[in-house]
Amino acid sequence: MLSSTVKILEKAQTHEQALGLADNELLSSRLADDMWPLPNQIQSLWVHSAYAIEQVKTGIFKSNIQNIPANWQEMQTMLEQAQSSLAALAEGELETIANNSVAFVIGGKTRFTFTVQDFLLSFSMPNVHFHTTTTYAILRMKGVALGKFDFLGQMSTSNLD
């Protein structure tokens, strides 16, 4: 999802430049008034991917709504750093902590307790999909030429000859 979102952002920036739009036009876009704008969607992708992995290793997940990217480059950098962080995970590293406990803390209070596996699979992964989908939908709504394969990104296929 991160790599497809990087490419979606590249297309959006090209679209913006081709039409001569002001940076703020796409960056301030949101699907509904009560939803976050585009940069917050990207920051949330980072939170529920690389940041979540680092947090579950400590046994406590404290949401991070700071460091909202201010421009295209900051959004790209945030996603590229998340990809690098995830790529650096050792094989089997998450399996060794999968059954450990992780507390979901907001406002200094534990709201939920999960196993690491349940937190990542039932909370963070759906959030990654949600914020990727929302990013795609915002940009599609604003006229960026995106299709299903932009969202899907590089698929893993096998040659079964």
Side-chain angles (χ1 to χ4, degrees):
M1 304 291 6
L2 293 172
S3 61
S4 66
T5 305
V6 166
K7 290 186 187 227
I8 286 170
L9 291 181
E10 289 169 0
K11 280 190 165 190
Q13 190 172 13
T14 299
H15 172 84
E16 178 182 79
Q17 291 167 348
L19 295 180
L21 302 175
D23 277 345
N24 195 39
E25 187 166 333
L26 290 180
L27 295 180
S28 64
S29 298
R30 55 183 83 212
L31 288 180
D33 290 340
D34 64 346
M35 293 181 77
W36 283 338
L38 186 64
N40 296 69
Q41 302 300 328
I42 300 305
Q43 194 270 354
S44 293
L45 259 167
W46 169 78
V47 163
H48 291 290
S49 59
Y51 177 80
I53 297 294
E54 292 307 312
Q55 291 283 289
V56 298
K57 291 176 185 178
T58 71
I60 299 172
F61 176 88
K62 293 180 182 174
S63 189
N64 180 335
I65 57 172
Q66 299 174 0
N67 305 319
I68 307 301
N71 56 50
W72 295 107
Q73 184 56 50
E74 288 180 17
M75 289 189 292
Q76 292 283 4
T77 299
M78 184 172 269
L79 293 180
E80 289 165 0
Q81 288 173 344
Q83 287 177 295
S84 294
S85 176
L86 294 175
L89 285 171
E91 186 175 334
E93 185 175 349
L94 293 178
E95 283 80 7
T96 63
I97 62 169
N99 292 317
N100 291 0
S101 181
V102 62
F104 182 89
V105 176
I106 296 178
K109 294 184 181 182
T110 298
R111 305 297 179 172
F112 304 102
T113 303
F114 298 88
T115 65
V116 167
Q117 177 175 315
D118 288 343
F119 176 79
L120 293 175
L121 294 177
S122 72
F123 185 74
S124 281
M125 187 179 289
N127 269 284
V128 165
H129 287 278
F130 175 83
H131 293 292
T132 300
T133 301
T134 304
T135 296
Y136 173 92
I138 288 169
L139 294 171
R140 184 76 172 92
M141 173 189 72
K142 289 304 219 173
V144 178
L146 298 171
K148 186 175 186 177
F149 285 107
D150 293 305
F151 178 84
L152 295 175
Q154 180 65 43
M155 295 179 282
S156 298
T157 58
S158 298
N159 233 349
L160 299 176
D161 292 338

